[in-house]
Amino acid sequence: MQLTKSQIIFDQQAHTYTTPDGVCLQGVTGMIERQLFPDKYSGVPEFVMKRAAERGSFVHEVCELVDDLGIEHESEEARNYQKLKESYGLQYEASEYLVSDNEHFASCIDKVYRESDNEFSLGDIKTTYKLDKEYVSWQLSIYAYWFERQNPGCKAVRLFAIWLRGSISELVEIERIPDGIIIELLSAEIEGRKFINPYAVPSVKTDMPLKYREMEQSIIEISEQEKYWKEQKKILMDGIMKEMVKAGAYSWKGESISFTRKKDSIRKVFDRESFERDYPGVYDKYLTDTPVSGSITLKVS
């Protein structure tokens, strides 16, 4: 059974969905955030959002190259995606498969895989620091609802998130939300009323001031960016070191930067543990009190 192609026109550059009659339709992301997760990205700086979007777009593109052209892309995410496909026996059917109710909403499903003649699995690629399974569940459940109506006789039998972020590569099966609840969510958005989420749980109690609670996602992203760029700098410096050794150079100068290579050497360090063991009490005799400024520790759970 072949999948039905939607008549909705998707402009990838403007990211808009338009009917053949010129009517603009809503995407799913904005609706989900308004109705279910209004504070999801509250306080996140624009540059962080932009960088995350660029990274996500890149990973989506290389995965399409793997699927559509069979290209073995050099990126870690592309290699890991290929391994996931092979490990789980995924039979690729389509990328960016557009589904719509043809009246109010439209969106593209990242990946469709064939299970049988009329059974399919739907996948959504995520590149976030943490995988938000609740968010993906709503997203893919909406897609599954439209997918089955756009393709009568077909069934979306499995939904899963494809989590790709550097060395992280996981295929996470996602629970489908019943169609009745999805219909109510869509109706609430169309009618301009607030959807009452039957799965909502009380907020976790916290003593953190509101200002910083709203910035939590931003802080996580900044922390992750710091870690990422430290790793990238190390990779760069290790590469430069190898090239300078190979060239026998100790100094390289560019227009705005320069590199200086230090020769191998031996540094003498004081073995405190051995000294304390051999001369008990002497070490403490020479300790002095030094003021130390207070600090905080950030732990991302």
Side-chain angles (χ1 to χ4, degrees):
M1 182 179 291
Q2 295 297 314
L3 296 180
T4 301
K5 183 177 180 179
S6 175
Q7 297 300 306
I8 302 301
I9 303 165
F10 175 52
D11 184 328
Q12 190 168 10
Q13 293 298 321
H15 207 88
T16 57
Y17 301 93
T18 311
T19 68
D21 297 331
V23 178
C24 289
L25 306 183
Q26 285 191 56
V28 166
T29 303
M31 182 270 290
I32 289 179
E33 290 175 4
R34 278 191 300 276
Q35 290 286 356
L36 298 164
F37 307 99
D39 299 320
K40 185 174 178 64
Y41 296 108
S42 176
V44 181
E46 185 177 348
F47 81 92
V48 173
M49 294 290 290
K50 182 179 180 181
R51 187 168 293 164
E54 290 172 351
R55 181 174 61 224
S57 295
F58 170 76
V59 174
H60 279 73
E61 288 169 4
V62 298
C63 289
E64 282 193 51
L65 292 176
V66 170
D67 282 328
D68 294 331
L69 301 178
I71 293 177
E72 294 183 3
H73 195 274
E74 63 183 6
S75 69
E76 190 171 19
E77 287 86 356
R79 295 196 303 271
N80 288 337
Y81 173 62
Q82 181 62 39
K83 290 176 183 177
L84 284 177
K85 286 181 62 181
E86 294 170 356
S87 297
Y88 290 90
L90 301 178
Q91 300 300 312
Y92 172 69
E93 182 72 19
S95 291
E96 299 299 321
Y97 180 70
L98 200 154
V99 290
S100 174
D101 66 352
N102 299 309
E103 188 176 0
H104 301 284
F105 307 98
S107 195
C108 292
I109 305 173
D110 286 347
K111 299 294 177 185
V112 178
Y113 303 100
R114 185 177 289 272
E115 300 277 350
S116 67
D117 183 56
N118 65 340
E119 293 181 324
F120 298 85
S121 291
L122 311 182
D124 193 83
I125 296 174
K126 295 299 182 188
T127 60
T128 50
Y129 174 74
K130 291 181 69 174
L131 181 62
D132 189 341
K133 291 191 286 187
E134 182 185 7
Y135 185 97
V136 185
S137 178
W138 285 101
Q139 185 179 10
L140 285 174
S141 295
I142 293 170
Y143 292 165
Y145 172 70
W146 288 336
F147 177 86
E148 291 176 350
R149 277 143 192 79
Q150 188 165 301
N151 298 279
C154 289
K155 183 69 176 176
V157 293
R158 288 196 302 163
L159 309 178
F160 44 73
I162 305 165
W163 191 18
L164 300 169
R165 186 181 179 90
S167 61
I168 298 174
S169 58
E170 294 183 25
L171 194 75
V172 182
E173 191 137 2
I174 299 296
E175 185 176 351
R176 182 171 175 176
I177 296 169
D179 286 351
I181 296 176
I182 295 300
I183 292 171
E184 172 58 21
L185 168 63
L186 298 174
S187 297
E189 178 69 10
I190 293 168
E191 296 166 9
R193 56 185 172 84
K194 180 63 179 176
F195 171 68
I196 305 301
N197 183 0
Y199 301 117
V201 294
S203 299
V204 177
K205 289 186 177 180
T206 174
D207 54 3
M208 189 182 296
L210 177 62
K211 174 183 176 181
Y212 297 104
R213 290 208 306 272
E214 292 178 343
M215 292 173 61
E216 280 194 59
Q217 189 62 37
S218 175
I219 294 169
I220 290 172
E221 286 290 345
I222 291 171
S223 178
E224 181 67 8
Q225 288 289 333
E226 178 189 26
K227 177 183 175 184
Y228 172 79
W229 288 114
K230 279 185 177 179
E231 292 172 351
Q232 293 304 304
K233 182 180 179 181
K234 185 179 185 307
I235 292 170
L236 171 67
M237 298 301 283
D238 288 348
I240 292 290
M241 180 67 168
K242 289 179 182 178
E243 291 294 330
M244 292 184 79
V245 170
K246 183 178 178 181
Y250 286 92
S251 177
W252 277 349
K253 187 173 183 179
E255 292 183 5
S256 305
I257 62 173
S258 62
F259 296 98
T260 302
R261 175 166 71 96
K262 294 181 179 180
K263 295 182 179 180
D264 293 342
S265 62
I266 295 177
R267 182 177 61 185
K268 293 184 179 294
V269 295
F270 181 70
D271 188 343
R272 192 188 76 178
E273 291 185 3
S274 296
F275 185 84
E276 286 184 281
R277 184 175 60 251
D278 295 341
Y279 302 97
V282 176
Y283 178 79
D284 291 342
K285 181 180 177 181
Y286 289 90
L287 290 178
T288 59
D289 293 333
T290 303
V292 178
S293 298
S295 64
I296 61 169
T297 300
L298 169 65
K299 180 180 179 181
V300 179
S301 58

